[in-house]
Amino acid sequence: DGLGEQFAFNHEGLLIPESVKPIPRSVGTTVTVKRLFETLPVRRIDMQKRIKAQRMKLMKMMQGYAILCTNIQFMVTDNQTANSQPNKSKSKSDLRLATSESSNTLEKRTASVLGTKFLAGLTRIEVDLTSLVGPVNAQSSQQSSTLLTRSCRWKMEGLVSHAPTSPK
């Protein structure tokens, strides 16, 4: 397969130059967080107390990105070790979120991430805002203003929940 790079950051968020090394891997980006709050024991203890709520918060954020970033494939795993799971002797890795290349529309992504039943409760909306939006820069020349109007369409599109009494 391909060749990638592995690198690490210090506690200030700066790259550790000696950590950069080539590694064999397939295409993509992998982010691994280890020893979070290692130097901040109070925060680490607080995180351990509220780990379920923190995981849920993280998953909601990742679901949002997975739905909106239709040109990126997501695979989120939760690697739980013996330290985070009492009475467990080995590591466990659970796939929590996965999208595919075929999920390339907002509807397909929503169904893939949140399920078809959830998608059935939504309606697509599209609003053309082109006539309401003026030139980006009021001091721009007439030529660039005309070019902007011709080449750019301003629109808002997305999915919204059905009203409680509306037909689906």
Side-chain angles (χ1 to χ4, degrees):
D1 286 322
L3 189 64
E5 280 190 332
Q6 177 178 329
F7 47 90
F9 297 90
N10 64 19
H11 293 289
E12 287 81 39
L14 301 173
L15 178 67
I16 302 170
E18 59 272 8
S19 73
V20 179
K21 60 184 175 184
I23 59 166
R25 67 157 293 122
S26 57
V27 175
T29 301
T30 302
V31 177
T32 304
V33 179
K34 293 181 180 179
R35 300 188 313 252
L36 185 63
F37 302 132
E38 181 178 49
T39 60
L40 303 166
V42 174
R43 287 209 179 164
R44 186 178 64 244
I45 291 167
D46 183 56
M47 174 72 128
Q48 289 170 340
K49 285 180 183 175
R50 301 181 308 120
I51 193 72
K52 285 184 181 181
Q54 293 297 325
R55 276 195 178 117
M56 288 298 292
K57 218 171 158 181
L58 176 65
M59 281 309 301
K60 284 184 179 188
M61 182 185 70
M62 293 306 298
Q63 287 172 334
Y65 279 115
I67 291 169
L68 294 175
C69 301
T70 56
N71 58 339
I72 299 173
Q73 187 173 345
F74 282 80
M75 187 170 76
V76 178
T77 56
D78 186 359
N79 299 319
Q80 300 175 13
T81 62
N83 294 346
S84 65
Q85 293 289 306
N87 305 323
K88 302 250 178 168
S89 58
K90 55 184 172 178
S91 295
K92 178 181 165 187
S93 179
D94 291 324
L95 181 64
R96 297 291 183 190
L97 172 68
T99 60
S100 68
E101 289 181 32
S102 64
S103 300
N104 55 5
T105 66
L106 188 58
E107 286 84 350
K108 286 180 182 177
R109 281 293 178 122
T110 302
S112 172
V113 173
L114 300 174
T116 53
K117 187 175 180 181
F118 186 86
L119 178 63
L122 303 176
T123 300
R124 176 173 257 296
I125 61 162
E126 289 186 29
V127 180
D128 188 351
L129 302 171
T130 307
S131 63
L132 301 174
V133 178
V136 174
N137 183 354
Q139 296 178 351
S140 64
S141 70
Q142 180 67 26
Q143 183 182 9
S144 64
S145 177
T146 305
L147 182 62
L148 178 67
T149 305
R150 286 186 192 154
S151 63
C152 294
R153 277 192 58 216
W154 295 83
K155 65 180 181 176
M156 181 179 69
E157 60 182 290
L159 301 170
V160 295
S161 301
H162 290 296
T165 58
S166 72
K168 297 177 182 175

